[in-house]
Amino acid sequence: MMAADKPVLVPDVSARQVQIRYSFNGAQLLLFGAVVYPGGRPPDRQVDIAVVLRGPVQPILVREKEKIAGVWMNADSNRFRSAPSFYAVASSRPIRDLLDERTAAIYELGLHELQLSPGGGALPEKERRFEAGLLDLRSRQGLYSESPHGVEITGGVLYRAVITIPSQVPVGTYTAETFLIDRHKVIAAATRDIQINKSGFERYVALAARRHRLVYGLSCVLLSLGLGWAAAAAFRRRF
C-alpha cells in the first residue's frame, strides 16, 4: 500500500524488446510516463525527472597504448570488475543542478558517478586515469552518453525522453530507471526491463559461438583459409 503523501511514477517504454538483425543500424527508444500526485494536483514548484538506460554489467580490461620506437604498443592496463556495457542518462536539467555529489553517486546518476569497480591493487592516480579513458572510449563508441536537457516535462505530470541505441550495442537485459527529483532529493523511482537480442542468422552465429566454441573456432579458421586460397587463385588467373 503506497503512502498517501508521496507521488508515484508510472513509467513505460516504446519497446520492451529490441531485435538486432543483419540490417540493424541503431534505434531510438522512447522512455515516457506520468507522475501521479496525491490528490491529483502537482506542486507549484518545479520538479525534475532523470531517466537511465543501463545495460548488463561486464568485466573489462582497458589497455593503454604508447608509441615506443615508432611503434604503438600496449604499455599498461587496468581491469574493471563490473562496468555497464551500456549507460545513457537524460535529465530535465543538468544532474549537478538537481542533486549533490553524494546523492548522485548513490543512484549512479551521471557518467562520472558510475561505480566501475576497479580490480584493485593500482594506485588511485592510475585508476582515475583508466576510468577517464574508459568513459572517453565508450562515449566515442556511443555506448555511454549524458543528455542534461533530454527529458521533456509537460504540465508537471507527463514526461518523455529519447535514448539512442547504437548499432554495436551489446545484447542482454537492460534496465530503464526513472527518478523523480524534488528539492535535491529523489522522492520516487521506478524501473522497467528491456530485452535486446539478436535474431535470424546473427542469433544462430552467436549461439554457435557460445555453445560450440571449438567447432566455431575451427570453422572460422577454415573459412579464413578458404577465402585466402580463393583470393590467391583469382589473383594468379588475372596476372
Side-chain angles (χ1 to χ4, degrees), residues 177-194:
E177 303 170 287
T178 306
F179 302 93
L180 179 63
I181 302 168
D182 183 21
R183 291 180 287 193
H184 306 289
K185 293 182 180 180
V186 174
I187 60 174
T191 63
R192 288 289 183 272
D193 287 340
I194 301 167

Side-chain angles (χ1 to χ4, degrees), residues 18 20 56 85 168-174 195-198 206 210:
V18 177
I20 298 178
S85 55
Q168 69 273 26
V169 66
V171 298
T173 301
Y174 284 58
Q195 294 293 330
I196 297 183
N197 298 311
K198 292 184 178 180
R210 219 167 35 239

Side-chain angles (χ1 to χ4, degrees), residues 2-3 6-10 34-38 180 187-188:
M2 65 181 181
K6 290 187 177 181
V8 176
L9 284 166
V10 184
V35 185
V36 179
Y37 291 96
L180 179 63
I187 60 174

